[in-house]
Amino acid sequence: MGTQTDYIGMWYQARARHGVDDTIPMEVFEPEGDFRQSFRFRHRDHDGIGVLFHFFRQQGMTLPAMPISRESGSPPWWRWLVSSAGELPPADTPIPWRSFEGNDGPSCMQTLCLSQEQTDALLQRLKQNRVSLNVALLSALQRAVDDTLLAYPVRGSWLYPVNMRGAVPMDCDEMNLSSAFYTSVSGLDSLPAVAERLRRQLRANLHWRMWHLARIGRFVGRRGVNWLSDRMANGQQHLGSFSNLGHWRVDMASGGFPDQAVIAICAPGSPRYPVANGVLIINGRMTLSMKLHESLGAGAVTAKSCLQRWQFHLEEA
């Protein structure tokens, strides 16, 4: 039996009490045209996939297939508890952020769009080298952050989301139905090393441990989640949350948008996850998005520079 209560959304509501914005920005735009329209959603209501399906329905668009997990259900509690126990979280070390003057424009989502030829060439090269897109994206993102946001390179901690649709009961496919785990990446790591670390963490069922822990609101209610969130507010800082929403075939004209329009979307970001980002491949074209939380003191110009380095390192993968 499913549930309409978004227990994961409770955490975003709890943080909002202290001014932590949970807005998910999204743009529909023509890469080679003048059309551009912005939309805003709240993470307390949706995860990234949930935002897209809410938007498609809101605009009366033809719905694409719903991405679902390869898993069909939760492993027994003892299995995810025991298997995840041996996986230590990334070390809690200070992050050497650069000092920014805060004069490079407001902190807002910046986007890049690869052409279909660039996207095809990238995917073909990764396939030939037997490298997954997520591994290449995460490794390139770490190197871009090293280049533009840090005083010197460090092993960075990232929140790595996992889509749980199809693996957990759900009455509403637009709600928060993603789990996650923490992974660490160095710009010096080889792509096979990054891939092996992610495989090991998935096999250890870290995402299932996070899923069950994040839904503790079932037992402690909203007040309990608020209390826990307050005590975690000054916890370990990470570089950000990595967000790749995958490949989509979307009839943009069915929503009244130009045929050649694409979509860009970005996580909200927060003081503990300041490098917000997003990746989509829409009708064969990849969009990369980034927003730097204002706590860094960096804005749009720095975010654009980091985006460009992300694309550079991705095309080198």
Side-chain angles (χ1 to χ4, degrees):
M1 183 177 178
T3 175
Q4 288 282 7
T5 304
D6 194 332
Y7 293 107
I8 293 175
M10 285 184 180
W11 292 95
Y12 295 100
Q13 289 178 298
R15 289 194 281 263
R17 294 160 46 245
H18 301 290
V20 180
D21 187 14
D22 69 333
T23 299
I24 298 175
M26 191 180 85
E27 287 187 354
V28 179
F29 65 98
E30 282 184 295
E32 285 81 36
D34 297 327
F35 180 84
R36 184 174 293 266
Q37 191 170 354
S38 298
F39 301 86
R40 294 162 62 88
F41 305 91
R42 300 187 307 180
H43 211 328
R44 72 190 70 176
D45 301 321
H46 317 281
D47 60 10
I49 292 173
V51 163
L52 291 176
F53 270 84
H54 179 76
F55 172 74
F56 296 150
R57 289 172 176 135
Q58 191 181 59
Q59 302 297 320
M61 298 171 70
T62 304
L63 294 181
M66 172 68 71
I68 60 171
S69 169
R70 295 179 182 179
E71 300 177 271
S72 58
S74 174
W77 68 268
W78 54 266
R79 183 177 298 169
W80 61 259
L81 189 62
V82 171
S83 62
S84 64
E87 285 290 331
L88 298 176
D92 187 0
T93 55
I95 300 175
W97 299 110
R98 292 187 186 180
S99 177
F100 297 98
E101 300 299 326
N103 57 1
D104 62 352
S107 180
C108 57
M109 182 174 76
Q110 299 297 301
T111 63
L112 286 176
C113 182
L114 278 63
S115 68
Q116 186 158 352
E117 292 73 21
Q118 288 174 308
T119 304
D120 288 344
L122 170 64
L123 297 179
Q124 184 61 32
R125 186 172 67 256
L126 294 178
K127 183 178 180 180
Q128 290 173 347
N129 294 333
R130 298 183 179 180
V131 175
S132 79
L133 178 58
N134 273 351
V135 167
L137 284 165
L138 183 56
S139 178
L141 178 57
Q142 174 67 43
R143 293 176 182 179
V145 169
D146 286 344
D147 291 348
T148 57
L149 302 180
L150 302 182
Y152 52 86
V154 296
R155 175 169 291 279
S157 173
W158 295 91
L159 187 68
Y160 188 93
V162 179
N163 177 27
M164 304 296 278
R165 289 168 176 79
V168 298
M170 59 180 183
D171 289 332
C172 177
D173 56 20
E174 296 179 5
M175 62 197 291
N176 283 285
L177 289 165
S178 294
S179 185
F181 57 85
Y182 294 104
T183 193
S184 64
V185 185
S186 165
L188 299 177
D189 287 345
S190 67
L191 294 178
V194 176
E196 175 53 32
R197 185 177 304 110
L198 291 174
R199 280 194 297 267
R200 188 182 70 242
Q201 292 177 305
L202 286 166
R203 286 196 301 266
N205 293 309
L206 295 187
H207 56 299
W208 281 108
R209 180 174 68 179
M210 179 78 83
W211 174 256
H212 292 298
L213 291 175
R215 299 178 74 248
I216 198 172
R218 291 178 298 165
F219 308 107
V220 302
R222 192 176 303 280
R223 280 189 178 183
V225 170
N226 289 346
W227 185 87
L228 289 167
S229 178
D230 291 349
R231 277 142 190 83
M232 297 167 61
N234 296 318
Q236 179 178 354
Q237 189 184 46
H238 308 271
L239 292 181
S241 57
F242 168 74
S243 182
N244 174 21
L245 297 183
H247 299 243
W248 299 76
R249 283 287 169 189
V250 181
D251 181 1
M252 299 301 295
S254 68
F257 300 107
D259 285 333
Q260 302 305 312
V262 297
I263 300 172
I265 189 170
C266 188
S270 70
R272 290 184 62 200
Y273 306 91
V275 184
N277 57 85
V279 183
L280 276 175
I281 297 180
I282 293 286
N283 299 334
R285 300 192 68 169
M286 178 183 289
T287 61
L288 300 174
S289 305
M290 183 171 292
K291 177 178 179 290
L292 302 178
H293 192 265
E294 52 266 22
S295 60
L296 293 183
V301 174
T302 303
K304 195 72 169 184
S305 175
C306 192
L307 265 182
Q308 291 167 344
R309 294 302 294 174
W310 191 8
Q311 180 183 357
F312 171 80
H313 288 298
L314 185 59
E315 291 178 340
E316 278 196 329

